[in-house]
Amino acid sequence: MTTSRICVVTGAGRGIGRAVAHRLSNSGHRVVLTARTGAQLAEVAAELPGPSLCVPADATDPDAPQAIRDQVAAEWGPIEVAVLAAGTASSAPLAKTTDAQWRAAMEINLDAPFRFLRALAPGMTERGWGRIVVIASMAAKHGDPYVSAYTASKHGVLGLVRSAAAELARSGVTVNAVCPGFVDTPMTEESIANISATTGRDAASARAALEARQPIRRLITAGEVAEAVEYCVASAATTGQGINVDGGAVQS
Ligand SMILES: NC(=O)c1ccc[n+]([C@@H]2O[C@H](COP(=O)([O-])OP(=O)(O)OC[C@H]3O[C@@H](n4cnc5c(N)ncnc54)[C@H](OP(=O)(O)O)[C@@H]3O)[C@@H](O)[C@H]2O)c1
């Protein structure tokens, strides 16, 4: 039987984070749900079969990781598993990418995971067991046009994962990234709306264009990403990896 762990999931209000919360709860873990929109967290909490705690927070707030860690420690105990799914995507041609767009991508996709690792890894190493999984992207391994800020932030977070995994390898703590292709979530719905707005294509053909980017010719489901996260939580031997869940788009 799986040991019940205390897990925190960022970005748990919708999309991939929500699917991860479901998967971990269904496997018997206790799940801390965090994102900015408290109402969405409450909806997810009501759907879960097991215990959950809702901790609304902005993951880009530099104090958020310690505050979440300390609140969970007071209510349940130390966080043993962290799944960092909070993120945003934006697109713009390189020459039109503003400093604000660049900083926004770095703050949520790279700075926030760094601060969560810094806040949570010491307790995990002291206790000799921990799992950290960052939801990166196939953009962590491959460069596409018009997404320079997003791609740089995701390459950066994979570098963070690899270095942290090397540093913590003998401690019982693993650090991995899951690198999805286009996943059927509200974020992708937004990308489809943006493609329609900028190209004049209808939503169905914009969606078909994203489906065609995966060799399996469909979007990835959030549940398929959650399955890879659960593998990372179960495995003691997998660390420092960027596990592609992208229908074969990136072969590395
Ligand atoms: N969808 C894809 O095709 C795809 C592909 C590859 C990688 N990914 C990555 O997977 C992760 C999740 O994506 P998704 O598709 O599930 O996105 P989503 O549907 O837009 O959900 C994003 C979640 O992150 C939360 N979030 C965003 N900014 C936040 C902030 N500043 N503080 C706290 N929470 C924040 C959102 O809640 P609030 O807005 O309420 O805070 C929401 O719960 C992201 O890192 C994304 O880059 C997605």
Side-chain angles (χ1 to χ4, degrees), residues 18-245:
R18 177 179 165 205
V20 169
H22 272 267
R23 180 124 196 158
L24 294 175
S25 183
N26 274 301
S27 297
H29 301 295
R30 288 190 273 172
V31 188
V32 180
L33 307 167
T34 181
R36 291 167 301 184
T37 312
Q40 290 186 344
L41 298 179
E43 274 173 33
V44 176
E47 295 163 1
L48 299 183
S52 59
L53 269 183
C54 295
V55 184
D58 185 338
T60 65
D61 174 351
D63 297 328
Q66 291 106 299
I68 293 168
R69 179 195 66 196
D70 295 346
Q71 184 179 336
V72 175
E75 299 202 32
W76 276 357
I79 291 171
E80 298 169 287
V81 174
V83 182
L84 307 178
T88 56
S90 62
S91 68
L94 175 62
K96 291 190 173 167
T97 298
T98 63
D99 282 359
Q101 283 170 324
W102 179 268
R103 276 299 342 137
M106 295 303 157
E107 279 176 14
I108 185 65
N109 295 334
L110 179 56
D111 300 356
F114 158 65
R115 293 198 193 98
F116 272 98
L117 260 74
R118 187 175 58 182
L120 299 179
M124 291 177 177
T125 56
E126 258 170 45
R127 293 184 298 276
W129 197 93
R131 298 285 183 265
I132 299 171
V133 187
V134 179
I135 308 301
S137 169
M138 63 180 172
K141 298 186 176 178
H142 175 82
D144 275 318
Y146 312 126
V147 281
S148 53
Y150 184 74
T151 303
S153 70
K154 293 297 188 179
H155 271 65
V157 84
L158 183 56
L160 168 71
V161 161
R162 286 171 168 163
S163 178
E167 191 171 323
L168 303 178
R170 293 168 62 186
S171 70
V173 179
T174 67
V175 189
N176 290 289
V178 172
C179 299
F182 286 98
V183 187
D184 200 355
T185 71
M187 180 184 281
T188 297
E189 288 304 325
E190 223 172 276
S191 304
I192 289 168
N194 288 340
I195 294 169
S196 294
T198 51
T199 64
R201 287 187 196 182
D202 62 31
S205 78
R207 189 181 174 91
L210 295 187
E211 287 170 349
R213 299 282 295 279
Q214 275 86 212
I216 58 173
R217 289 294 186 270
R218 64 167 175 83
L219 298 183
I220 309 302
T221 68
E224 287 169 327
V225 181
E227 195 176 357
V229 169
E230 193 167 44
Y231 166 75
C232 294
V233 173
S235 175
T238 301
T239 193
Q241 302 305 308
I243 298 170
N244 301 339
V245 183

